[in-house]
Amino acid sequence: MFWGTCFASSRSYVVELGRNQSLTLGLGGSDERHSFYGYIIAFPLQDYGGIMSALGSESWWKKTLYVTGGALLAAAAYLLHELLSIRKEVEMDSKDAIILHQFSRPKSGVPSLSPFCLKIETFLRMMDLPYQNYFDGKLSPQGKMPWIEYNRQQVSGTEFIIDFLEDNLGANLNKSLSEQEKAVARAITKMVEEHLYWTIAYCQWVDNLEETQKMLAITGPLSDLQKWIISHVTGSIVKKEMYGHGIGRFSKEEVYTLMEKDMRTLATLLGDKKYIMGPKLTTVDATVFGHLAQAMWSLPGTRPEQLIKGELINLAMYCGRSAPVLARVVC
């Protein structure tokens, strides 16, 4: 199954422009700037001088040199900025319009390599809220991706974004849940965003780096070099952040063991239900789908894909059942 349109985990890359109606499909974190893509750009930019966020500032070249360690790579970073920073389509009236800033779409597979970006776009589609994508690589004032603008208000962090949409637009999918069910949904969300996310990011940006690199939507005379730079810088950042988190201090096999435990837990919680909390979509489905979609469609041949399409087939069925509803996928 592939998404109809093509081309970017708690914590944090670049645009295609798309209103709900204009995307044939529809759609990254913790949405903290460490998203899997976030990593690709948010991290390199923030913790390493900011290849994208620093570009355009007076000292961008110094920061880029610091990150890459050479003039050639600095030049490549500049070209990358030129190619990716301005990719807008159909402009929308800014009044009462939701502007979603997120990473660019990859060449194939899911609409975003960032489960957090996918989570928010999925939520917007679940609520049928009109929005416009900006894939300009611009981070929020807090250095996060994704983030939204609405009537000149800026909100970053997926949890805060959803709270904002609930408070201001009445976009609430959890009205039918009891207080206990809401607590369970939050616990599931945090397990997925604060634990499973890191193991999937490891598979994408460390263990399966070459294949992920091929998915980056970069074209031009130095596209191969740009992809190599971004993917390897991102991979290094992911490993560094994983080590700081604690999960990166374990061996490859141990990391995958933790991933399997989380995926088995989700499979058990889902059981034979249609969605995570029962017969109806709730906010937690946007989170779970955003992360499982990475294993389902962006990591061919890897342990996560083998698991979700094998022993934990109910998770694959969940993704297939959810995709058309959540993101209007063209199969």
Side-chain angles (χ1 to χ4, degrees):
M1 169 184 269
F2 293 91
W3 297 84
T5 72
C6 291
F7 130 0
S9 335
S10 154
R11 307 126 226 248
S12 285
Y13 239 97
V14 99
V15 151
E16 152 201 282
L17 185 178
R19 257 181 113 168
N20 269 11
Q21 304 91 315
S22 65
L23 288 176
T24 51
L25 111 183
L27 237 83
S30 173
D31 43 77
E32 290 126 2
R33 55 183 192 242
H34 336 275
S35 201
F36 118 85
Y37 314 64
Y39 269 122
I40 303 184
I41 285 208
F43 274 131
L45 311 195
Q46 281 255 333
D47 297 342
Y48 285 75
I51 295 177
M52 292 293 285
S53 63
L55 289 177
S57 67
E58 293 182 358
S59 61
W60 75 266
W61 61 275
K62 294 180 181 178
K63 296 179 179 180
T64 304
L65 285 173
Y66 174 76
V67 178
T68 63
L72 177 60
L73 295 184
Y78 173 76
L79 289 175
L80 171 63
H81 169 67
E82 291 299 307
L83 288 169
L84 300 183
S85 64
I86 305 176
R87 294 183 58 191
K88 296 182 180 179
E89 299 175 11
V90 203
E91 291 290 340
M92 282 177 63
D93 187 331
S94 60
K95 181 176 174 53
D96 297 327
I98 299 171
I99 306 299
L100 173 60
H101 295 264
Q102 63 168 311
F103 297 122
S104 296
R105 301 202 190 285
K107 289 183 176 180
S108 61
V110 295
S112 177
L113 293 178
S114 166
F116 295 95
C117 290
L118 182 52
K119 169 187 175 180
I120 291 301
E121 188 162 8
T122 294
F123 180 81
L124 290 169
R125 289 179 175 278
M126 290 167 68
M127 295 304 306
D128 198 26
L129 294 173
Y131 67 95
Q132 177 179 350
N133 275 319
Y134 272 28
F135 303 98
D136 52 10
K138 179 181 178 182
L139 301 178
S140 72
Q142 294 79 20
K144 294 180 180 294
M145 188 78 86
W147 58 288
I148 67 167
E149 293 179 278
Y150 182 77
N151 288 344
R152 298 186 178 181
Q153 297 183 71
Q154 299 179 344
V155 187
S156 65
T158 61
E159 185 170 354
F160 292 120
I161 290 173
I162 291 176
D163 287 345
F164 176 85
L165 295 174
E166 289 181 354
D167 295 340
N168 292 271
L169 300 178
N172 191 339
L173 287 169
N174 299 331
K175 293 179 180 179
S176 64
L177 299 182
S178 66
E179 291 305 309
Q180 183 178 30
E181 288 173 327
K182 290 178 182 177
V184 171
R186 180 172 175 77
I188 295 172
T189 296
K190 292 311 167 184
M191 178 193 74
V192 171
E193 295 185 342
E194 304 297 338
H195 199 264
L196 177 62
Y197 161 76
W198 291 105
T199 63
I200 297 297
Y202 172 85
C203 186
Q204 288 176 314
W205 300 104
V206 179
D207 195 34
N208 199 48
L209 181 62
E210 291 185 3
E211 290 303 313
T212 300
Q213 176 179 321
K214 295 176 183 178
M215 294 186 184
L216 300 181
I218 300 175
T219 58
L222 294 178
S223 59
D224 289 341
L225 175 60
Q226 294 166 7
K227 290 180 182 180
W228 187 93
I229 294 171
I230 289 177
S231 60
H232 282 76
V233 170
T234 300
S236 296
I237 293 170
V238 169
K239 287 190 286 187
K240 175 180 178 292
E241 294 299 322
M242 286 184 67
Y243 189 85
H245 174 279
I247 199 171
R249 303 179 188 226
F250 298 109
S251 67
K252 171 183 173 180
E253 288 304 313
E254 289 171 325
V255 170
Y256 278 127
T257 295
L258 295 175
M259 176 203 70
E260 291 187 15
K261 286 184 176 181
D262 286 345
M263 291 182 68
R264 291 182 192 282
T265 297
L266 286 174
T268 299
L269 288 167
L270 177 62
D272 59 1
K273 298 193 300 293
K274 187 174 183 179
Y275 299 112
I276 297 298
M277 299 306 295
K280 296 182 179 180
L281 286 166
T282 57
T283 301
V284 70
D285 288 298
T287 299
V288 174
F289 178 74
H291 286 74
L292 290 183
Q294 308 304 320
M296 187 76 178
W297 293 298
S298 72
L299 294 168
T302 63
R303 296 265 289 276
E305 187 205 47
Q306 292 169 1
L307 192 62
I308 197 173
K309 294 182 179 179
E311 184 179 349
L312 306 182
I313 192 65
N314 68 326
L315 294 182
M317 294 172 66
Y318 167 79
C319 287
R321 183 166 57 246
S322 301
V325 177
L326 302 181
R328 297 174 174 80
V329 175
V330 175
C331 301

